[in-house]
Amino acid sequence: MQVKKVGVIGAGTMGNGIAQLASQIGCEVVMRDIKDEFVERGLKNIDRFLTKSIERGKLKADEKVAILGRIKGTTEMSDLKDVDFVIEAVLEDLELKKKVFQELDELCRPDVVLSSNTSSMSITEIAASTKRPEKVCGMHFFNPAPIMKLVEIIRGYETNDETVAITTEIAKEMGKVTVEIKKDTPGFIVNRVMIPHFIEAIKIVEEGIASIEDVDTAVKNGLNYPMGPFELMDLTGIDIAYHVMEYFYKELNKESKWSSPNLLKNIIRAGKLGRKTGAGWYEYNQ
Ligand SMILES: NC(=O)c1ccc[n+]([C@@H]2O[C@H](COP(=O)([O-])OP(=O)(O)OC[C@H]3O[C@@H](n4cnc5c(N)ncnc54)[C@H](O)[C@@H]3O)[C@@H](O)[C@H]2O)c1
């Protein structure tokens, strides 16, 4: 593999997991965040994950030392000047991502691929903030990045085949299963499939057809899914599901199939459920 040094932007939930994966395949890694405390927290998370892997007999102590030794935490963007590949994992904010990509474009060699872990933003728009749109693509990991198998690789309007090939190779080296999203579109594959099943599940409860428990039981046992839609929303965030629905509705031509159910709107507006309250669907009084 040509890529020897990887830059990761953001040391948060996704960034530190991705930095760990890049180091595990033998790359030098520069993980950048904006404050020392965020960098430290990211490094601590990696340390904790690797310690647990040792306890489970999946990793040797010297391997942990080597993995951590290849990751340099920094707040300086200039430390990424000689990386061969970049994965961006800053907050889900388009203007911030565009600014970061502009900086990266000025800093990194022209042959370097710049990828984004965005869950929903337009790769085409992010790429347009650089002078190398053909070298920009989406590299969408799932949470927790070191464990979840899938990486969605997304083509922006101008992404070329070589960029997709390099990104796919790195993801596969990391032990991931990859899929290619050939056209830049909101939600890629997984969220585009997941959101309609959330909407239908909520509507079934809203219409008094079945209880939350029975919808989850039906989906788990009838479709052989490991989790029901309500359990999955509680894990990934009811408020996030709501925001994704609103985003899809806006971006996918306001088709009614994407509009969020009234029950969900009211629950969010009343501030009753969601990550802020710590209460999930199973606390909802049906
Ligand atoms: N959390 C998930 O389940 C999940 C799953 C897949 C994809 N994503 C996507 O991954 C990205 C990151 O999400 P997260 O959950 O890790 O967020 P997070 O809030 O945990 O971490 C984001 C980090 O980016 C840092 N940051 C902000 N501006 C920066 C800059 N200019 N340079 C470097 N770092 C900067 C923040 O300080 C923060 O530490 C988002 O685009 C999100 O949509 C998240």
Side-chain angles (χ1 to χ4, degrees):
M1 193 177 59
Q2 298 302 311
V3 172
K4 303 258 182 276
K5 192 166 183 178
V6 173
V8 178
I9 311 288
T13 309
M14 297 306 290
N16 71 66
I18 294 168
Q20 179 190 320
L21 281 166
S23 177
Q24 280 175 183
I25 60 169
C27 293
E28 293 289 317
V29 181
V30 184
M31 180 176 75
R32 191 252 170 164
D33 209 303
I34 47 176
K35 286 190 183 169
D36 284 329
E37 62 195 272
F38 299 153
V39 174
E40 286 310 313
R41 190 178 56 194
L43 290 169
K44 269 200 193 114
N45 275 346
I46 300 173
D47 193 312
R48 202 175 307 128
F49 187 99
L50 296 175
T51 303
K52 276 193 199 140
S53 302
I54 294 173
E55 284 163 10
R56 292 196 187 109
K58 290 185 174 169
L59 193 76
K60 297 198 182 91
D62 58 337
E63 289 171 329
K64 175 185 161 186
V65 173
I67 292 167
L68 287 173
R70 282 192 291 270
I71 304 174
K72 176 187 162 75
T74 184
T75 53
E76 297 296 329
M77 198 67 160
S78 57
D79 284 341
L80 277 93
K81 66 178 181 307
D82 58 350
V83 299
D84 306 312
F85 187 88
V86 176
I87 307 166
E88 167 275 315
V90 303
L91 311 172
E92 191 74 339
D93 172 331
L94 187 59
E95 291 313 310
L96 172 63
K97 287 188 191 284
K98 280 159 69 174
K99 187 173 152 281
V100 166
F101 272 73
Q102 225 170 351
E103 280 180 71
L104 288 167
D105 190 38
E106 281 162 23
L107 186 68
C108 300
R109 287 193 319 268
D111 62 306
V112 171
V113 167
L114 308 176
S115 72
S116 173
N117 183 47
T118 178
S119 314
S120 61
M121 302 285 159
S122 161
I123 299 301
T124 305
E125 203 168 341
I126 294 170
S129 66
T130 73
K131 294 192 190 72
R132 63 179 93 186
E134 73 289 352
K135 296 234 146 263
V136 176
C137 69
M139 188 178 193
H140 185 215
F141 292 83
F142 290 76
N143 186 17
I147 291 171
M148 295 295 283
K149 279 254 168 264
L150 186 66
V151 173
E152 292 180 318
I153 295 172
I154 305 109
R155 281 181 186 264
Y157 188 68
E158 296 191 67
T159 310
N160 66 18
D161 291 345
E162 194 193 9
T163 298
V164 171
I166 292 169
T167 309
T168 304
E169 191 188 340
I170 293 173
K172 284 195 188 305
E173 285 261 338
M174 290 172 170
K176 301 300 182 192
V177 173
T178 62
V179 289
E180 183 185 334
I181 299 13
K182 296 180 188 168
K183 294 179 186 173
D184 194 7
T185 177
F188 317 136
I189 297 174
V190 171
N191 284 337
R192 184 104 179 236
V193 170
M194 182 182 74
I195 290 296
H197 107 283
F198 285 172
I199 292 175
E200 283 311 315
I202 298 168
K203 282 186 180 165
I204 287 170
V205 171
E206 187 173 36
E207 291 166 20
I209 294 165
S211 67
I212 286 172
E213 291 83 353
D214 279 355
V215 172
D216 277 351
T217 301
V219 169
K220 283 190 286 188
N221 292 283
L223 294 176
N224 213 11
Y225 285 13
M227 268 190 255
F230 292 102
E231 288 170 325
L232 188 53
M233 269 186 274
D234 281 349
L235 183 77
T236 52
I238 299 173
D239 44 327
I240 293 180
Y242 172 69
H243 291 305
V244 176
M245 282 171 208
E246 295 288 296
Y247 180 73
F248 280 7
Y249 182 69
K250 186 170 131 267
E251 289 287 317
L252 296 167
N253 305 322
K254 301 203 167 170
E255 281 184 51
S256 59
K257 70 171 179 176
W258 299 109
S259 90
S260 36
N262 215 21
L263 171 61
L264 180 63
K265 275 188 190 143
N266 283 333
I267 277 172
I268 295 295
R269 285 174 184 162
K272 289 288 178 212
L273 306 182
R275 287 173 307 161
K276 271 189 198 146
T277 61
W281 278 111
Y282 280 77
E283 272 83 39
Y284 170 66
N285 199 359
Q286 295 167 63

